[in-house]
Amino acid sequence: QQQVKQSPQSLIVQKGGISIINCAYENTAFDYFPWYQQFPGKGPALLIAIRPDVSEKKEGRFTISFNKSAKQFSLHIMDSQPGDSATYFCAAATETSGSRLTFGEGTQLTVNP
Amino acid sequence: GAGVSQSPSNKVTEKGKDVELRCDPISGHTALYWYRQSLGQGLEFLIYFQGNSAPDKSGLPSDRFSAERTGGSVSTLTIQRTQQEDSAVYLCASNIGRTGGYTFGSGTRLTVV
């Protein structure tokens, strides 16, 4: 019940296109959903996060869409750029009980010029 | 410090030897986490320290793995009698409390030969 399932495993997008990465969870107690971006040789860095009281959060070209009833959330990268090429991880936690983050398996995004 | 610092950045060790990996979290961060990332894989939780509470060791894969956190700051992850399957990147993260996103270090790449 602690799993977070992420898809696709890899994604290739043309410059200027929209990148979409999806995650699904089972534990309805999860109340914090961040996305992390990881470049080769670096640790993951927090990109954007959402809590279930809103259905969408946008920061620049990055948008999280959250569907509480379906227990799904997704990351949309608009106007994708070659510099966005990285591995993206979704995660979830139950903040109210102070639980640790459970991560998805990761998506390797390649944006072609 | 300004970020989470991990050392060494790379470690090559012979099978059967013990290794110590160090993490220096952001000053004032009470929560500290260790994760393991195998090549092309997601983040596997190992252990979690929160303030003076007993650590959550539920992710440690075997009794060859142990960790301590001295004075609520620096943490050391020790792997005894290393095996080839221990080869991975070991990531440390810290957080100011129980909520919000983590700040990760760049990791220690461990290779057991």
Side-chain angles (χ1 to χ4, degrees):
Chain A
Q1 207 184 18
Q2 291 294 321
Q3 284 186 328
V4 176
K5 296 192 176 183
Q6 184 172 346
S7 63
Q9 191 173 24
S10 63
L11 180 62
I12 300 174
V13 173
Q14 291 300 118
K15 179 182 175 181
I18 302 173
S19 303
I20 302 174
I21 304 170
N22 300 298
C23 282
Y25 63 97
E26 297 175 356
N27 186 350
T28 56
F30 284 148
D31 56 12
Y32 176 67
F33 304 89
W35 284 89
Y36 284 79
Q37 179 188 55
Q38 184 179 31
F39 293 105
K42 300 292 184 183
L46 179 63
L47 188 61
I48 187 173
I50 198 168
R51 291 181 170 86
D53 52 341
V54 297
S55 60
E56 185 175 281
K57 183 174 181 180
K58 183 176 181 180
E59 289 185 1
R61 296 183 295 108
F62 300 91
T63 299
I64 299 179
S65 297
F66 183 77
N67 186 330
K68 188 174 182 178
S69 60
K71 292 185 287 185
Q72 295 176 347
F73 58 111
S74 60
L75 176 69
H76 295 232
I77 306 174
M78 311 301 287
D79 187 26
S80 299
Q81 299 296 311
D84 297 331
S85 297
T87 300
Y88 292 81
F89 293 94
C90 62
T94 306
E95 283 199 322
T96 50
S97 65
S99 77
R100 55 172 171 80
L101 286 172
T102 298
F103 286 85
E105 300 89 347
T107 296
Q108 188 166 349
L109 172 65
T110 303
V111 182
N112 289 327
Chain B
V4 177
S5 177
Q6 291 189 245
S7 61
S9 55
N10 281 284
K11 176 71 176 179
V12 180
T13 190
E14 291 182 352
K15 178 182 173 181
K17 296 284 181 69
D18 298 351
V19 294
E20 285 189 352
L21 312 180
R22 176 189 168 103
C23 173
D24 198 344
I26 292 173
S27 178
H29 279 196
T30 58
L32 188 147
Y33 309 82
W34 284 97
Y35 282 81
R36 178 168 70 175
Q37 186 173 27
S38 300
L39 186 63
Q41 299 298 310
L43 283 76
E44 176 189 6
F45 167 74
L46 296 177
I47 189 168
Y48 161 39
F49 296 90
Q50 172 60 55
N52 295 321
S53 302
D56 176 358
K57 304 180 182 180
S58 60
L60 294 178
S62 77
D63 58 8
R64 296 187 296 106
F65 288 73
S66 63
E68 62 177 19
R69 187 178 185 192
T70 54
S73 181
V74 172
S75 177
T76 302
L77 177 68
T78 301
I79 308 173
Q80 296 179 311
R81 305 181 302 281
T82 52
Q83 303 295 313
Q84 287 188 327
E85 60 264 27
D86 299 335
S87 296
V89 175
Y90 289 82
L91 290 162
C92 175
S94 70
N95 195 12
I96 198 163
R98 291 188 169 192
T99 62
Y102 305 164
T103 301
F104 280 90
S106 293
T108 294
R109 180 175 297 278
L110 175 66
T111 303
V112 182
V113 297

